[in-house]
Amino acid sequence: SRLSDIQIPTLVIHGTEDAILPYDHGEALAEGIPNAELMTLEGVGHEIPEELAKEITQKIIIHLKQI
């Protein structure tokens, strides 16, 4: 219920195959935080694969430049 108190743009990065925090948790965060954007990592679990590091880093940089 306090997610709506977050007043800065937020980037939620979540894998669809996360066994620790299921994907619907990431969706709930993105839906509950105003101005949140969800970056979905298809087929990715809880840990970020090395091959996606550059793409994720670029997304974070773009996000930070918009704040």
Side-chain angles (χ1 to χ4, degrees):
S1 64
R2 295 188 57 204
L3 292 176
S4 62
D5 293 344
I6 299 172
Q7 297 300 309
I8 60 171
T10 303
L11 177 62
V12 177
I13 302 170
H14 210 289
T16 59
E17 302 300 319
D18 191 329
I20 297 172
L21 295 169
Y23 181 69
D24 62 338
H25 288 236
E27 290 178 312
L29 280 175
E31 290 172 12
I33 300 171
N35 299 312
E37 177 184 357
L38 175 60
M39 179 181 188
T40 299
L41 305 176
E42 292 293 335
V44 174
H46 193 71
E47 296 185 17
I48 297 171
E50 178 82 25
E51 60 269 12
L52 292 179
K54 184 175 181 178
E55 177 184 347
I56 293 168
T57 301
Q58 289 173 338
K59 184 70 170 180
I60 292 169
I61 290 168
I62 291 167
H63 175 76
L64 291 173
K65 286 181 178 181
Q66 295 174 349
I67 296 177

Short mmCIF file of all heavy atoms in Angstrom, two decimals:
data_model
loop_
_atom_site.label_atom_id
_atom_site.label_comp_id
_atom_site.label_asym_id
_atom_site.label_seq_id
_atom_site.Cartn_x
_atom_site.Cartn_y
_atom_site.Cartn_z
N SER A 1 0.82 -1.21 0.00
CA SER A 1 0.00 0.00 0.00
C SER A 1 0.86 1.27 0.00
O SER A 1 0.40 2.31 -0.39
CB SER A 1 -0.93 0.00 1.19
OG SER A 1 -0.19 0.04 2.40
N ARG A 2 2.11 1.17 0.42
CA ARG A 2 2.97 2.35 0.47
C ARG A 2 3.73 2.58 -0.83
O ARG A 2 4.44 3.56 -0.96
CB ARG A 2 3.94 2.22 1.64
CG ARG A 2 3.20 2.22 2.98
CD ARG A 2 4.11 2.29 4.15
NE ARG A 2 4.94 3.46 4.04
CZ ARG A 2 6.13 3.58 4.63
NH1 ARG A 2 6.61 2.59 5.33
NH2 ARG A 2 6.84 4.67 4.51
N LEU A 3 3.58 1.67 -1.78
CA LEU A 3 4.28 1.84 -3.05
C LEU A 3 3.90 3.15 -3.72
O LEU A 3 4.74 3.79 -4.35
CB LEU A 3 3.98 0.67 -3.99
CG LEU A 3 4.54 -0.68 -3.60
CD1 LEU A 3 4.08 -1.76 -4.58
CD2 LEU A 3 6.05 -0.64 -3.52
N SER A 4 2.66 3.55 -3.57
CA SER A 4 2.21 4.79 -4.21
C SER A 4 2.87 6.03 -3.60
O SER A 4 2.80 7.11 -4.17
CB SER A 4 0.69 4.91 -4.13
OG SER A 4 0.27 4.97 -2.79
N ASP A 5 3.55 5.87 -2.47
CA ASP A 5 4.27 6.98 -1.85
C ASP A 5 5.58 7.28 -2.56
O ASP A 5 6.16 8.35 -2.38
CB ASP A 5 4.58 6.68 -0.38
CG ASP A 5 3.33 6.62 0.49
OD1 ASP A 5 2.27 7.11 0.05
OD2 ASP A 5 3.43 6.07 1.60
N ILE A 6 6.06 6.35 -3.36
CA ILE A 6 7.32 6.54 -4.08
C ILE A 6 7.07 7.54 -5.20
O ILE A 6 6.25 7.30 -6.08
CB ILE A 6 7.87 5.21 -4.63
CG1 ILE A 6 8.14 4.26 -3.47
CG2 ILE A 6 9.12 5.45 -5.47
CD1 ILE A 6 8.51 2.85 -3.89
N GLN A 7 7.76 8.65 -5.15
CA GLN A 7 7.48 9.75 -6.07
C GLN A 7 8.58 10.02 -7.09
O GLN A 7 8.61 11.07 -7.70
CB GLN A 7 7.20 11.04 -5.26
CG GLN A 7 5.97 10.93 -4.39
CD GLN A 7 4.71 10.66 -5.20
OE1 GLN A 7 4.40 11.35 -6.16
NE2 GLN A 7 3.96 9.63 -4.80
N ILE A 8 9.49 9.09 -7.27
CA ILE A 8 10.51 9.26 -8.29
C ILE A 8 10.33 8.16 -9.34
O ILE A 8 9.86 7.06 -9.03
CB ILE A 8 11.94 9.20 -7.71
CG1 ILE A 8 12.21 7.87 -7.02
CG2 ILE A 8 12.18 10.35 -6.75
CD1 ILE A 8 13.64 7.68 -6.62
N PRO A 9 10.68 8.46 -10.59
CA PRO A 9 10.58 7.42 -11.61
C PRO A 9 11.41 6.20 -11.22
O PRO A 9 12.54 6.34 -10.74
CB PRO A 9 11.14 8.10 -12.86
CG PRO A 9 10.95 9.56 -12.61
CD PRO A 9 11.14 9.73 -11.13
N THR A 10 10.83 5.03 -11.39
CA THR A 10 11.45 3.80 -10.93
C THR A 10 11.54 2.80 -12.06
O THR A 10 10.59 2.63 -12.82
CB THR A 10 10.62 3.20 -9.77
OG1 THR A 10 10.51 4.18 -8.73
CG2 THR A 10 11.23 1.94 -9.22
N LEU A 11 12.67 2.14 -12.15
CA LEU A 11 12.85 1.07 -13.13
C LEU A 11 12.87 -0.25 -12.38
O LEU A 11 13.72 -0.48 -11.52
CB LEU A 11 14.16 1.26 -13.90
CG LEU A 11 14.54 0.18 -14.90
CD1 LEU A 11 13.49 0.07 -16.00
CD2 LEU A 11 15.92 0.45 -15.48
N VAL A 12 11.91 -1.11 -12.68
CA VAL A 12 11.84 -2.44 -12.08
C VAL A 12 12.36 -3.42 -13.12
O VAL A 12 11.86 -3.47 -14.24
CB VAL A 12 10.38 -2.79 -11.70
CG1 VAL A 12 10.30 -4.21 -11.14
CG2 VAL A 12 9.81 -1.78 -10.71
N ILE A 13 13.39 -4.18 -12.76
CA ILE A 13 13.98 -5.16 -13.66
C ILE A 13 13.70 -6.54 -13.09
O ILE A 13 14.07 -6.82 -11.94
CB ILE A 13 15.50 -4.94 -13.81
CG1 ILE A 13 15.78 -3.53 -14.31
CG2 ILE A 13 16.11 -5.99 -14.72
CD1 ILE A 13 17.24 -3.13 -14.27
N HIS A 14 13.01 -7.38 -13.88
CA HIS A 14 12.59 -8.67 -13.32
C HIS A 14 12.57 -9.75 -14.38
O HIS A 14 12.11 -9.53 -15.49
CB HIS A 14 11.20 -8.53 -12.71
CG HIS A 14 10.96 -9.45 -11.56
ND1 HIS A 14 10.82 -10.81 -11.71
CD2 HIS A 14 10.85 -9.22 -10.24
CE1 HIS A 14 10.62 -11.36 -10.53
NE2 HIS A 14 10.65 -10.41 -9.61
N GLY A 15 13.06 -10.92 -14.01
CA GLY A 15 13.05 -12.08 -14.90
C GLY A 15 11.76 -12.86 -14.78
O GLY A 15 11.19 -12.98 -13.70
N THR A 16 11.32 -13.42 -15.89
CA THR A 16 10.06 -14.17 -15.91
C THR A 16 10.17 -15.53 -15.24
O THR A 16 9.16 -16.12 -14.88
CB THR A 16 9.57 -14.38 -17.36
OG1 THR A 16 10.57 -15.08 -18.10
CG2 THR A 16 9.24 -13.06 -18.03
N GLU A 17 11.40 -16.02 -15.04
CA GLU A 17 11.59 -17.35 -14.47
C GLU A 17 12.23 -17.30 -13.08
O GLU A 17 12.86 -18.26 -12.65
CB GLU A 17 12.46 -18.20 -15.41
CG GLU A 17 11.88 -18.35 -16.80
CD GLU A 17 10.51 -19.00 -16.82
OE1 GLU A 17 10.29 -19.97 -16.06
OE2 GLU A 17 9.64 -18.52 -17.58
N ASP A 18 12.05 -16.20 -12.38
CA ASP A 18 12.62 -16.03 -11.04
C ASP A 18 11.90 -16.95 -10.06
O ASP A 18 10.70 -16.80 -9.82
CB ASP A 18 12.49 -14.57 -10.60
CG ASP A 18 13.28 -14.25 -9.36
OD1 ASP A 18 13.45 -15.15 -8.50
OD2 ASP A 18 13.72 -13.10 -9.22
N ALA A 19 12.62 -17.91 -9.50
CA ALA A 19 12.03 -18.86 -8.56
C ALA A 19 11.99 -18.32 -7.13
O ALA A 19 11.25 -18.83 -6.29
CB ALA A 19 12.82 -20.17 -8.59
N ILE A 20 12.77 -17.28 -6.85
CA ILE A 20 12.80 -16.71 -5.50
C ILE A 20 11.71 -15.67 -5.34
O ILE A 20 10.96 -15.68 -4.36
CB ILE A 20 14.20 -16.11 -5.20
CG1 ILE A 20 15.25 -17.24 -5.23
CG2 ILE A 20 14.21 -15.40 -3.86
CD1 ILE A 20 16.67 -16.77 -5.15
N LEU A 21 11.62 -14.75 -6.26
CA LEU A 21 10.56 -13.74 -6.29
C LEU A 21 9.86 -13.88 -7.65
O LEU A 21 10.36 -13.38 -8.65
CB LEU A 21 11.11 -12.33 -6.13
CG LEU A 21 11.76 -12.02 -4.79
CD1 LEU A 21 12.49 -10.69 -4.84
CD2 LEU A 21 10.72 -12.01 -3.69
N PRO A 22 8.72 -14.55 -7.68
CA PRO A 22 8.04 -14.78 -8.95
C PRO A 22 7.76 -13.48 -9.71
O PRO A 22 7.68 -12.40 -9.12
CB PRO A 22 6.74 -15.47 -8.53
CG PRO A 22 7.08 -16.12 -7.23
CD PRO A 22 8.04 -15.18 -6.56
N TYR A 23 7.63 -13.62 -11.01
CA TYR A 23 7.47 -12.47 -11.91
C TYR A 23 6.32 -11.55 -11.50
O TYR A 23 6.42 -10.34 -11.63
CB TYR A 23 7.28 -12.96 -13.34
CG TYR A 23 7.13 -11.84 -14.33
CD1 TYR A 23 8.21 -11.01 -14.63
CD2 TYR A 23 5.92 -11.60 -14.95
CE1 TYR A 23 8.09 -9.97 -15.52
CE2 TYR A 23 5.79 -10.56 -15.86
CZ TYR A 23 6.87 -9.75 -16.14
OH TYR A 23 6.74 -8.71 -17.02
N ASP A 24 5.25 -12.12 -10.96
CA ASP A 24 4.12 -11.27 -10.58
C ASP A 24 4.49 -10.27 -9.49
O ASP A 24 3.85 -9.23 -9.34
CB ASP A 24 2.88 -12.09 -10.22
CG ASP A 24 3.07 -13.01 -9.03
OD1 ASP A 24 4.22 -13.36 -8.71
OD2 ASP A 24 2.04 -13.40 -8.45
N HIS A 25 5.55 -10.53 -8.74
CA HIS A 25 6.02 -9.55 -7.75
C HIS A 25 6.57 -8.31 -8.47
O HIS A 25 6.31 -7.19 -8.05
CB HIS A 25 7.12 -10.16 -6.88
CG HIS A 25 6.62 -11.16 -5.90
ND1 HIS A 25 6.84 -11.08 -4.55
CD2 HIS A 25 5.91 -12.29 -6.07
CE1 HIS A 25 6.29 -12.09 -3.94
NE2 HIS A 25 5.72 -12.85 -4.84
N GLY A 26 7.34 -8.53 -9.52
CA GLY A 26 7.86 -7.42 -10.31
C GLY A 26 6.74 -6.63 -10.96
O GLY A 26 6.77 -5.39 -10.99
N GLU A 27 5.74 -7.34 -11.46
CA GLU A 27 4.58 -6.66 -12.06
C GLU A 27 3.85 -5.82 -11.03
O GLU A 27 3.46 -4.68 -11.31
CB GLU A 27 3.61 -7.68 -12.66
CG GLU A 27 4.13 -8.36 -13.90
CD GLU A 27 3.16 -9.38 -14.44
OE1 GLU A 27 2.65 -10.21 -13.65
OE2 GLU A 27 2.92 -9.36 -15.65
N ALA A 28 3.68 -6.37 -9.82
CA ALA A 28 3.00 -5.63 -8.76
C ALA A 28 3.77 -4.37 -8.37
O ALA A 28 3.16 -3.32 -8.13
CB ALA A 28 2.78 -6.53 -7.54
N LEU A 29 5.08 -4.47 -8.30
CA LEU A 29 5.89 -3.29 -8.00
C LEU A 29 5.69 -2.22 -9.07
O LEU A 29 5.45 -1.06 -8.75
CB LEU A 29 7.38 -3.66 -7.92
CG LEU A 29 7.88 -4.29 -6.65
CD1 LEU A 29 9.34 -4.69 -6.82
CD2 LEU A 29 7.73 -3.35 -5.48
N ALA A 30 5.81 -2.62 -10.31
CA ALA A 30 5.70 -1.66 -11.41
C ALA A 30 4.30 -1.04 -11.47
O ALA A 30 4.16 0.14 -11.78
CB ALA A 30 6.03 -2.34 -12.74
N GLU A 31 3.30 -1.81 -11.15
CA GLU A 31 1.93 -1.29 -11.17
C GLU A 31 1.65 -0.40 -9.96
O GLU A 31 0.88 0.55 -10.05
CB GLU A 31 0.92 -2.45 -11.19
CG GLU A 31 0.91 -3.18 -12.52
CD GLU A 31 0.06 -4.44 -12.49
OE1 GLU A 31 -0.70 -4.64 -11.51
OE2 GLU A 31 0.16 -5.23 -13.44
N GLY A 32 2.30 -0.69 -8.83
CA GLY A 32 2.03 0.04 -7.60
C GLY A 32 2.80 1.34 -7.45
O GLY A 32 2.43 2.20 -6.65
N ILE A 33 3.89 1.47 -8.19
CA ILE A 33 4.73 2.67 -8.09
C ILE A 33 4.39 3.62 -9.23
O ILE A 33 4.52 3.24 -10.40
CB ILE A 33 6.23 2.32 -8.14
CG1 ILE A 33 6.60 1.37 -6.99
CG2 ILE A 33 7.09 3.58 -8.11
CD1 ILE A 33 8.01 0.80 -7.09
N PRO A 34 3.94 4.83 -8.92
CA PRO A 34 3.65 5.78 -10.00
C PRO A 34 4.91 6.03 -10.84
O PRO A 34 6.01 6.10 -10.31
CB PRO A 34 3.24 7.06 -9.25
CG PRO A 34 2.89 6.62 -7.88
CD PRO A 34 3.70 5.40 -7.60
N ASN A 35 4.72 6.15 -12.12
CA ASN A 35 5.83 6.42 -13.06
C ASN A 35 6.87 5.31 -13.12
O ASN A 35 8.00 5.55 -13.50
CB ASN A 35 6.53 7.75 -12.74
CG ASN A 35 5.59 8.91 -12.84
OD1 ASN A 35 4.85 9.04 -13.82
ND2 ASN A 35 5.57 9.76 -11.83
N ALA A 36 6.50 4.09 -12.74
CA ALA A 36 7.43 2.97 -12.81
C ALA A 36 7.40 2.35 -14.20
O ALA A 36 6.38 2.36 -14.89
CB ALA A 36 7.09 1.92 -11.77
N GLU A 37 8.55 1.82 -14.58
CA GLU A 37 8.67 1.10 -15.85
C GLU A 37 9.19 -0.29 -15.53
O GLU A 37 10.10 -0.46 -14.72
CB GLU A 37 9.66 1.82 -16.76
CG GLU A 37 9.91 1.11 -18.06
CD GLU A 37 10.97 1.79 -18.92
OE1 GLU A 37 11.47 2.86 -18.54
OE2 GLU A 37 11.30 1.21 -19.96
N LEU A 38 8.58 -1.29 -16.15
CA LEU A 38 8.99 -2.67 -15.94
C LEU A 38 9.83 -3.14 -17.11
O LEU A 38 9.39 -3.10 -18.26
CB LEU A 38 7.77 -3.58 -15.78
CG LEU A 38 8.02 -5.08 -15.66
CD1 LEU A 38 8.88 -5.39 -14.44
CD2 LEU A 38 6.70 -5.83 -15.59
N MET A 39 11.05 -3.56 -16.82
CA MET A 39 11.90 -4.18 -17.83
C MET A 39 11.83 -5.68 -17.59
O MET A 39 12.34 -6.19 -16.59
CB MET A 39 13.35 -3.70 -17.72
CG MET A 39 14.27 -4.33 -18.74
SD MET A 39 15.98 -3.74 -18.55
CE MET A 39 16.73 -4.46 -20.00
N THR A 40 11.18 -6.38 -18.50
CA THR A 40 10.99 -7.82 -18.37
C THR A 40 12.14 -8.55 -19.06
O THR A 40 12.46 -8.28 -20.22
CB THR A 40 9.66 -8.23 -19.01
OG1 THR A 40 8.60 -7.56 -18.33
CG2 THR A 40 9.44 -9.72 -18.93
N LEU A 41 12.73 -9.48 -18.33
CA LEU A 41 13.80 -10.31 -18.87
C LEU A 41 13.22 -11.70 -19.11
O LEU A 41 13.09 -12.50 -18.17
CB LEU A 41 14.98 -10.36 -17.91
CG LEU A 41 15.58 -9.01 -17.50
CD1 LEU A 41 16.69 -9.21 -16.47
CD2 LEU A 41 16.08 -8.25 -18.70
N GLU A 42 12.83 -11.97 -20.35
CA GLU A 42 12.20 -13.24 -20.70
C GLU A 42 13.15 -14.41 -20.46
O GLU A 42 14.31 -14.38 -20.87
CB GLU A 42 11.77 -13.22 -22.17
CG GLU A 42 10.66 -12.26 -22.48
CD GLU A 42 9.33 -12.63 -21.86
OE1 GLU A 42 9.09 -13.83 -21.57
OE2 GLU A 42 8.51 -11.71 -21.64
N GLY A 43 12.65 -15.42 -19.77
CA GLY A 43 13.42 -16.63 -19.53
C GLY A 43 14.53 -16.52 -18.52
O GLY A 43 15.30 -17.45 -18.35
N VAL A 44 14.61 -15.39 -17.83
CA VAL A 44 15.69 -15.14 -16.87
C VAL A 44 15.19 -15.41 -15.45
O VAL A 44 14.06 -15.08 -15.09
CB VAL A 44 16.20 -13.69 -17.00
CG1 VAL A 44 17.21 -13.37 -15.91
CG2 VAL A 44 16.80 -13.46 -18.37
N GLY A 45 16.06 -16.02 -14.66
CA GLY A 45 15.75 -16.31 -13.26
C GLY A 45 16.13 -15.16 -12.35
O GLY A 45 16.08 -14.00 -12.74
N HIS A 46 16.58 -15.50 -11.14
CA HIS A 46 16.87 -14.48 -10.13
C HIS A 46 18.20 -13.77 -10.39
O HIS A 46 18.37 -12.62 -10.00
CB HIS A 46 16.88 -15.13 -8.74
CG HIS A 46 16.86 -14.15 -7.62
ND1 HIS A 46 15.75 -13.39 -7.31
CD2 HIS A 46 17.82 -13.78 -6.74
CE1 HIS A 46 16.03 -12.61 -6.29
NE2 HIS A 46 17.27 -12.82 -5.92
N GLU A 47 19.14 -14.44 -11.02
CA GLU A 47 20.44 -13.84 -11.29
C GLU A 47 20.51 -13.33 -12.73
O GLU A 47 19.95 -13.93 -13.63
CB GLU A 47 21.55 -14.85 -11.03
CG GLU A 47 21.62 -15.25 -9.56
CD GLU A 47 22.79 -16.16 -9.27
OE1 GLU A 47 23.72 -16.23 -10.09
OE2 GLU A 47 22.76 -16.81 -8.22
N ILE A 48 21.22 -12.23 -12.91
CA ILE A 48 21.34 -11.63 -14.23
C ILE A 48 22.41 -12.36 -15.03
O ILE A 48 23.57 -12.43 -14.60
CB ILE A 48 21.69 -10.13 -14.12
CG1 ILE A 48 20.57 -9.39 -13.41
CG2 ILE A 48 21.97 -9.54 -15.49
CD1 ILE A 48 20.90 -7.96 -13.06
N PRO A 49 22.04 -12.89 -16.20
CA PRO A 49 23.06 -13.55 -17.02
C PRO A 49 24.05 -12.54 -17.60
O PRO A 49 23.67 -11.42 -17.97
CB PRO A 49 22.26 -14.21 -18.14
CG PRO A 49 20.83 -13.91 -17.89
CD PRO A 49 20.73 -12.97 -16.75
N GLU A 50 25.29 -12.95 -17.69
CA GLU A 50 26.36 -12.09 -18.20
C GLU A 50 26.01 -11.49 -19.56
O GLU A 50 26.29 -10.33 -19.83
CB GLU A 50 27.66 -12.91 -18.30
CG GLU A 50 28.83 -12.14 -18.85
CD GLU A 50 29.51 -11.29 -17.80
OE1 GLU A 50 29.43 -11.61 -16.60
OE2 GLU A 50 30.13 -10.29 -18.18
N GLU A 51 25.38 -12.27 -20.42
CA GLU A 51 25.09 -11.80 -21.77
C GLU A 51 24.05 -10.68 -21.82
O GLU A 51 23.90 -10.01 -22.84
CB GLU A 51 24.67 -12.96 -22.69
CG GLU A 51 23.44 -13.70 -22.26
CD GLU A 51 23.71 -14.90 -21.36
OE1 GLU A 51 24.84 -15.05 -20.87
OE2 GLU A 51 22.77 -15.67 -21.13
N LEU A 52 23.33 -10.44 -20.74
CA LEU A 52 22.35 -9.35 -20.69
C LEU A 52 22.87 -8.12 -19.96
O LEU A 52 22.19 -7.10 -19.89
CB LEU A 52 21.05 -9.82 -20.03
CG LEU A 52 20.24 -10.85 -20.80
CD1 LEU A 52 19.00 -11.24 -20.03
CD2 LEU A 52 19.86 -10.31 -22.17
N ALA A 53 24.07 -8.20 -19.42
CA ALA A 53 24.62 -7.10 -18.60
C ALA A 53 24.67 -5.79 -19.38
O ALA A 53 24.29 -4.74 -18.85
CB ALA A 53 25.99 -7.46 -18.06
N LYS A 54 25.11 -5.81 -20.62
CA LYS A 54 25.22 -4.59 -21.41
C LYS A 54 23.85 -3.97 -21.67
O LYS A 54 23.65 -2.77 -21.50
CB LYS A 54 25.94 -4.86 -22.73
CG LYS A 54 26.17 -3.61 -23.55
CD LYS A 54 26.99 -3.90 -24.80
CE LYS A 54 27.21 -2.62 -25.59
NZ LYS A 54 28.02 -2.87 -26.78
N GLU A 55 22.89 -4.79 -22.06
CA GLU A 55 21.53 -4.31 -22.33
C GLU A 55 20.90 -3.70 -21.07
O GLU A 55 20.28 -2.63 -21.12
CB GLU A 55 20.66 -5.46 -22.83
CG GLU A 55 19.22 -5.09 -23.09
CD GLU A 55 18.37 -6.28 -23.51
OE1 GLU A 55 18.93 -7.35 -23.84
OE2 GLU A 55 17.14 -6.14 -23.51
N ILE A 56 21.08 -4.36 -19.95
CA ILE A 56 20.51 -3.87 -18.69
C ILE A 56 21.20 -2.58 -18.27
O ILE A 56 20.54 -1.62 -17.86
CB ILE A 56 20.62 -4.95 -17.59
CG1 ILE A 56 19.71 -6.13 -17.95
CG2 ILE A 56 20.27 -4.38 -16.23
CD1 ILE A 56 19.95 -7.37 -17.12
N THR A 57 22.51 -2.53 -18.41
CA THR A 57 23.26 -1.32 -18.06
C THR A 57 22.81 -0.13 -18.91
O THR A 57 22.60 0.97 -18.39
CB THR A 57 24.78 -1.55 -18.23
OG1 THR A 57 25.17 -2.64 -17.39
CG2 THR A 57 25.57 -0.31 -17.87
N GLN A 58 22.62 -0.36 -20.20
CA GLN A 58 22.16 0.70 -21.09
C GLN A 58 20.77 1.19 -20.67
O GLN A 58 20.50 2.39 -20.67
CB GLN A 58 22.13 0.22 -22.54
CG GLN A 58 23.52 0.05 -23.11
CD GLN A 58 23.51 -0.59 -24.49
OE1 GLN A 58 22.56 -1.27 -24.88
NE2 GLN A 58 24.58 -0.37 -25.23
N LYS A 59 19.90 0.27 -20.29
CA LYS A 59 18.55 0.64 -19.85
C LYS A 59 18.61 1.47 -18.57
O LYS A 59 17.88 2.46 -18.42
CB LYS A 59 17.71 -0.62 -19.64
CG LYS A 59 16.29 -0.36 -19.29
CD LYS A 59 15.55 0.21 -20.48
CE LYS A 59 14.07 0.24 -20.21
NZ LYS A 59 13.32 0.78 -21.34
N ILE A 60 19.48 1.09 -17.65
CA ILE A 60 19.63 1.85 -16.41
C ILE A 60 20.15 3.26 -16.71
O ILE A 60 19.65 4.25 -16.13
CB ILE A 60 20.56 1.11 -15.41
CG1 ILE A 60 19.88 -0.18 -14.94
CG2 ILE A 60 20.93 2.01 -14.24
CD1 ILE A 60 20.80 -1.11 -14.17
N ILE A 61 21.11 3.37 -17.59
CA ILE A 61 21.66 4.69 -17.94
C ILE A 61 20.59 5.56 -18.56
O ILE A 61 20.44 6.74 -18.19
CB ILE A 61 22.89 4.54 -18.87
CG1 ILE A 61 24.06 3.94 -18.08
CG2 ILE A 61 23.28 5.89 -19.48
CD1 ILE A 61 25.22 3.48 -18.95
N ILE A 62 19.82 5.02 -19.48
CA ILE A 62 18.72 5.78 -20.10
C ILE A 62 17.72 6.23 -19.04
O ILE A 62 17.28 7.39 -19.02
CB ILE A 62 18.03 4.94 -21.20
CG1 ILE A 62 18.95 4.76 -22.38
CG2 ILE A 62 16.71 5.58 -21.62
CD1 ILE A 62 18.49 3.70 -23.37
N HIS A 63 17.40 5.33 -18.15
CA HIS A 63 16.46 5.65 -17.07
C HIS A 63 16.99 6.79 -16.19
O HIS A 63 16.26 7.74 -15.89
CB HIS A 63 16.18 4.41 -16.22
CG HIS A 63 15.33 4.68 -15.03
ND1 HIS A 63 13.97 4.86 -15.13
CD2 HIS A 63 15.64 4.84 -13.73
CE1 HIS A 63 13.49 5.10 -13.93
NE2 HIS A 63 14.48 5.10 -13.07
N LEU A 64 18.25 6.71 -15.81
CA LEU A 64 18.83 7.73 -14.93
C LEU A 64 18.90 9.08 -15.62
O LEU A 64 18.74 10.13 -14.98
CB LEU A 64 20.21 7.30 -14.46
CG LEU A 64 20.23 6.13 -13.49
CD1 LEU A 64 21.66 5.67 -13.22
CD2 LEU A 64 19.51 6.47 -12.20
N LYS A 65 19.11 9.11 -16.91
CA LYS A 65 19.15 10.37 -17.64
C LYS A 65 17.78 11.05 -17.71
O LYS A 65 17.70 12.25 -17.91
CB LYS A 65 19.68 10.15 -19.06
CG LYS A 65 21.17 9.89 -19.11
CD LYS A 65 21.66 9.70 -20.53
CE LYS A 65 23.16 9.50 -20.57
NZ LYS A 65 23.64 9.34 -21.96
N GLN A 66 16.72 10.27 -17.53
CA GLN A 66 15.37 10.82 -17.58
C GLN A 66 14.91 11.38 -16.24
O GLN A 66 13.89 12.05 -16.17
CB GLN A 66 14.39 9.74 -18.04
CG GLN A 66 14.65 9.30 -19.46
CD GLN A 66 13.78 8.13 -19.87
OE1 GLN A 66 13.11 7.49 -19.04
NE2 GLN A 66 13.79 7.81 -21.14
N ILE A 67 15.65 11.12 -15.21
CA ILE A 67 15.25 11.59 -13.87
C ILE A 67 15.62 13.05 -13.71
O ILE A 67 16.64 13.49 -14.04
CB ILE A 67 15.89 10.73 -12.75
CG1 ILE A 67 15.37 9.29 -12.86
CG2 ILE A 67 15.59 11.29 -11.38
CD1 ILE A 67 15.98 8.35 -11.86
#
